[in-house]
Amino acid sequence: MALTKVKNRMIDGAVVSVKDFGAKGDGITDDTVTIQAAVDYVQNEASGGVVFFPTGTYITSAAITHTTGHGVIFRGTGRSSMITNSVAGHTLEFGDDITQINDCGVEYMMVINDVTGKSCIHARKRTNMHIQFNVIQTGATDGVGIYTSDGWGT
């Protein structure tokens, strides 16, 4: 399915499923690009909203980033919605060195990171977010479950 078809049938404020953008959630396929496409759509074109992760194991090879001022909520179905990164970077990253993010969060998901020195959830630049009913797990050396910084590397 082409992303233009997905985009054209979306309604601002509607819940957007990562599967509508091609994510498999099969525990084998690298879903980084498709998940990031869903996040980009919600943060840029829908002016915020929910990115939904149906039951599945979503493998990523880089951080999934939310870097605009429009709030994105990552929402799953509980422990059966898992996103994991064992290759590079944080699993979910909110904000950058410039932009403050408001009204974002992670709900009802299992977030895993096995990258040395990285975190499951990294909130930067005074990000206003909520994290509820999640399982956060890191198996890496010096890994952190939830890490907040001021956007300047501290």
Side-chain angles (χ1 to χ4, degrees):
M1 176 185 304
L3 292 182
T4 54
K5 289 182 183 177
V6 173
K7 177 182 170 187
N8 289 338
R9 67 173 223 231
M10 295 296 174
I11 300 169
D12 281 354
V15 173
V16 172
S17 173
V18 294
K19 292 208 172 188
D20 287 339
F21 287 80
K24 301 290 184 204
D26 60 10
I28 299 167
T29 304
D30 182 349
D31 289 318
T32 306
V33 172
T34 56
I35 293 170
Q36 190 64 58
V39 171
D40 291 348
Y41 173 80
V42 170
Q43 74 181 358
N44 296 323
E45 299 192 36
S47 299
V50 174
V51 175
F52 179 65
F53 291 77
T55 297
T57 300
Y58 299 89
I59 304 295
T60 62
S61 57
I64 301 299
T65 59
H66 169 33
T67 57
T68 69
H70 301 298
V72 173
I73 306 294
F74 293 79
R75 183 178 295 150
T77 60
R79 288 179 180 252
S80 61
S81 294
M82 179 187 315
I83 184 169
T84 182
N85 181 355
S86 60
V87 180
H90 307 287
T91 304
L92 301 176
E93 186 160 13
F94 295 85
D96 56 26
D97 289 344
I98 300 167
T99 309
Q100 179 175 336
I101 306 296
N102 293 309
D103 304 322
C104 60
V106 182
E107 305 172 342
Y108 312 107
M109 293 183 67
M110 189 168 197
V111 183
I112 300 171
N113 188 290
D114 290 326
V115 179
T116 299
K118 298 299 180 179
S119 59
C120 297
I121 300 172
H122 182 200
R124 301 170 71 182
K125 192 66 174 174
R126 296 175 295 281
T127 297
N128 174 14
M129 72 182 301
H130 70 275
I131 300 170
Q132 64 182 14
F133 306 114
N134 297 288
V135 176
I136 309 295
Q137 174 182 320
T138 180
T141 305
D142 298 326
V144 178
I146 301 170
Y147 175 68
T148 61
S149 66
D150 65 4
W152 299 101
T154 60

Short mmCIF file of all heavy atoms in Angstrom, two decimals, residues 79-103:
data_model
loop_
_atom_site.label_atom_id
_atom_site.label_comp_id
_atom_site.label_asym_id
_atom_site.label_seq_id
_atom_site.Cartn_x
_atom_site.Cartn_y
_atom_site.Cartn_z
N ARG A 79 1.31 -5.64 27.29
CA ARG A 79 2.55 -6.40 27.07
C ARG A 79 2.62 -7.04 25.70
O ARG A 79 3.69 -7.39 25.22
CB ARG A 79 2.69 -7.49 28.12
CG ARG A 79 3.03 -6.98 29.48
CD ARG A 79 3.12 -8.16 30.45
NE ARG A 79 3.45 -7.70 31.77
CZ ARG A 79 4.62 -7.89 32.34
NH1 ARG A 79 5.56 -8.54 31.69
NH2 ARG A 79 4.85 -7.44 33.55
N SER A 80 1.49 -7.19 25.05
CA SER A 80 1.48 -7.83 23.73
C SER A 80 1.87 -6.86 22.61
O SER A 80 2.02 -7.27 21.46
CB SER A 80 0.11 -8.45 23.45
OG SER A 80 -0.88 -7.46 23.45
N SER A 81 2.07 -5.58 22.93
CA SER A 81 2.58 -4.59 21.97
C SER A 81 3.99 -4.24 22.40
O SER A 81 4.19 -3.51 23.36
CB SER A 81 1.71 -3.32 21.96
OG SER A 81 0.44 -3.58 21.46
N MET A 82 4.98 -4.79 21.69
CA MET A 82 6.37 -4.63 22.10
C MET A 82 7.17 -3.96 20.99
O MET A 82 7.06 -4.33 19.82
CB MET A 82 6.96 -6.02 22.38
CG MET A 82 8.41 -6.00 22.78
SD MET A 82 9.14 -7.68 22.91
CE MET A 82 7.90 -8.57 23.79
N ILE A 83 7.96 -2.95 21.37
CA ILE A 83 8.91 -2.34 20.43
C ILE A 83 10.29 -2.52 21.02
O ILE A 83 10.52 -2.26 22.20
CB ILE A 83 8.57 -0.85 20.15
CG1 ILE A 83 9.52 -0.27 19.10
CG2 ILE A 83 8.54 -0.02 21.42
CD1 ILE A 83 9.12 1.10 18.58
N THR A 84 11.22 -3.01 20.21
CA THR A 84 12.55 -3.33 20.72
C THR A 84 13.64 -2.85 19.77
O THR A 84 13.45 -2.86 18.56
CB THR A 84 12.68 -4.85 20.98
OG1 THR A 84 13.98 -5.13 21.51
CG2 THR A 84 12.45 -5.66 19.73
N ASN A 85 14.76 -2.41 20.34
CA ASN A 85 15.90 -1.93 19.58
C ASN A 85 17.15 -2.56 20.17
O ASN A 85 17.44 -2.38 21.35
CB ASN A 85 15.99 -0.41 19.65
CG ASN A 85 17.16 0.16 18.85
OD1 ASN A 85 17.97 -0.56 18.30
ND2 ASN A 85 17.23 1.47 18.80
N SER A 86 17.90 -3.29 19.36
CA SER A 86 19.16 -3.86 19.83
C SER A 86 20.31 -3.50 18.89
O SER A 86 21.36 -4.10 18.96
CB SER A 86 19.04 -5.38 19.95
OG SER A 86 18.72 -5.94 18.70
N VAL A 87 20.10 -2.51 18.03
CA VAL A 87 21.10 -2.16 17.03
C VAL A 87 21.79 -0.83 17.33
O VAL A 87 23.01 -0.78 17.51
CB VAL A 87 20.49 -2.14 15.61
CG1 VAL A 87 21.55 -1.78 14.57
CG2 VAL A 87 19.88 -3.50 15.29
N ALA A 88 21.04 0.29 17.35
CA ALA A 88 21.66 1.60 17.52
C ALA A 88 20.68 2.60 18.11
O ALA A 88 19.52 2.63 17.72
CB ALA A 88 22.17 2.12 16.17
N GLY A 89 21.15 3.40 19.03
CA GLY A 89 20.35 4.50 19.57
C GLY A 89 19.33 4.08 20.61
O GLY A 89 19.27 2.94 21.03
N HIS A 90 18.57 5.07 21.05
CA HIS A 90 17.49 4.84 22.00
C HIS A 90 16.35 4.15 21.25
O HIS A 90 16.32 4.14 20.02
CB HIS A 90 17.00 6.17 22.57
CG HIS A 90 18.10 7.00 23.16
ND1 HIS A 90 18.72 6.70 24.34
CD2 HIS A 90 18.73 8.11 22.69
CE1 HIS A 90 19.66 7.58 24.60
NE2 HIS A 90 19.70 8.46 23.60
N THR A 91 15.40 3.58 21.98
CA THR A 91 14.25 2.97 21.30
C THR A 91 13.28 4.06 20.86
O THR A 91 12.92 4.16 19.70
CB THR A 91 13.56 1.94 22.20
OG1 THR A 91 14.53 0.95 22.60
CG2 THR A 91 12.43 1.24 21.45
N LEU A 92 12.85 4.91 21.80
CA LEU A 92 11.97 6.03 21.49
C LEU A 92 12.65 7.31 21.97
O LEU A 92 13.11 7.38 23.11
CB LEU A 92 10.62 5.88 22.21
CG LEU A 92 9.80 4.63 21.89
CD1 LEU A 92 8.55 4.59 22.76
CD2 LEU A 92 9.43 4.58 20.42
N GLU A 93 12.70 8.32 21.11
CA GLU A 93 13.35 9.58 21.49
C GLU A 93 12.41 10.74 21.22
O GLU A 93 11.87 10.88 20.13
CB GLU A 93 14.65 9.76 20.72
CG GLU A 93 15.42 10.98 21.18
CD GLU A 93 16.89 10.93 20.80
OE1 GLU A 93 17.29 10.10 19.98
OE2 GLU A 93 17.63 11.76 21.35
N PHE A 94 12.21 11.56 22.25
CA PHE A 94 11.31 12.71 22.18
C PHE A 94 12.12 13.98 22.31
O PHE A 94 12.87 14.15 23.25
CB PHE A 94 10.29 12.65 23.33
CG PHE A 94 9.36 11.49 23.25
CD1 PHE A 94 9.72 10.25 23.76
CD2 PHE A 94 8.11 11.63 22.67
CE1 PHE A 94 8.85 9.18 23.68
CE2 PHE A 94 7.24 10.56 22.60
CZ PHE A 94 7.61 9.33 23.10
N GLY A 95 11.95 14.90 21.34
CA GLY A 95 12.63 16.19 21.40
C GLY A 95 13.99 16.15 20.74
O GLY A 95 14.48 15.12 20.32
N ASP A 96 14.59 17.34 20.64
CA ASP A 96 15.94 17.50 20.13
C ASP A 96 16.57 18.65 20.89
O ASP A 96 16.05 19.07 21.92
CB ASP A 96 15.94 17.72 18.61
CG ASP A 96 15.10 18.91 18.17
OD1 ASP A 96 14.90 19.85 18.97
OD2 ASP A 96 14.65 18.92 17.02
N ASP A 97 17.69 19.17 20.42
CA ASP A 97 18.38 20.24 21.15
C ASP A 97 17.66 21.58 21.07
O ASP A 97 18.02 22.51 21.77
CB ASP A 97 19.80 20.41 20.61
CG ASP A 97 20.70 19.25 20.99
OD1 ASP A 97 20.33 18.49 21.90
OD2 ASP A 97 21.77 19.11 20.38
N ILE A 98 16.65 21.71 20.23
CA ILE A 98 15.99 22.99 20.03
C ILE A 98 14.53 22.99 20.45
O ILE A 98 14.06 23.89 21.11
CB ILE A 98 16.10 23.41 18.54
CG1 ILE A 98 17.57 23.52 18.14
CG2 ILE A 98 15.35 24.69 18.26
CD1 ILE A 98 17.81 23.60 16.66
N THR A 99 13.80 21.95 20.08
CA THR A 99 12.34 21.96 20.19
C THR A 99 11.84 21.34 21.48
O THR A 99 12.21 20.22 21.82
CB THR A 99 11.73 21.18 19.01
OG1 THR A 99 12.29 21.67 17.80
CG2 THR A 99 10.22 21.32 18.98
N GLN A 100 10.97 22.05 22.17
CA GLN A 100 10.29 21.48 23.32
C GLN A 100 9.05 20.75 22.82
O GLN A 100 8.29 21.27 22.00
CB GLN A 100 9.86 22.56 24.31
CG GLN A 100 9.11 21.99 25.50
CD GLN A 100 8.80 23.06 26.52
OE1 GLN A 100 9.46 24.07 26.59
NE2 GLN A 100 7.78 22.81 27.32
N ILE A 101 8.84 19.54 23.28
CA ILE A 101 7.70 18.72 22.86
C ILE A 101 6.66 18.74 23.97
O ILE A 101 6.97 18.55 25.14
CB ILE A 101 8.13 17.27 22.59
CG1 ILE A 101 9.29 17.21 21.60
CG2 ILE A 101 6.96 16.43 22.11
CD1 ILE A 101 8.97 17.72 20.23
N ASN A 102 5.40 18.95 23.61
CA ASN A 102 4.32 18.95 24.58
C ASN A 102 3.32 17.84 24.26
O ASN A 102 3.17 17.43 23.12
CB ASN A 102 3.59 20.30 24.58
CG ASN A 102 4.48 21.41 25.08
OD1 ASN A 102 5.07 21.30 26.14
ND2 ASN A 102 4.61 22.46 24.28
N ASP A 103 2.63 17.41 25.29
CA ASP A 103 1.51 16.47 25.14
C ASP A 103 1.89 15.21 24.38
O ASP A 103 1.23 14.81 23.42
CB ASP A 103 0.34 17.16 24.44
CG ASP A 103 -0.10 18.40 25.18
OD1 ASP A 103 -0.10 18.36 26.43
OD2 ASP A 103 -0.43 19.40 24.54
#
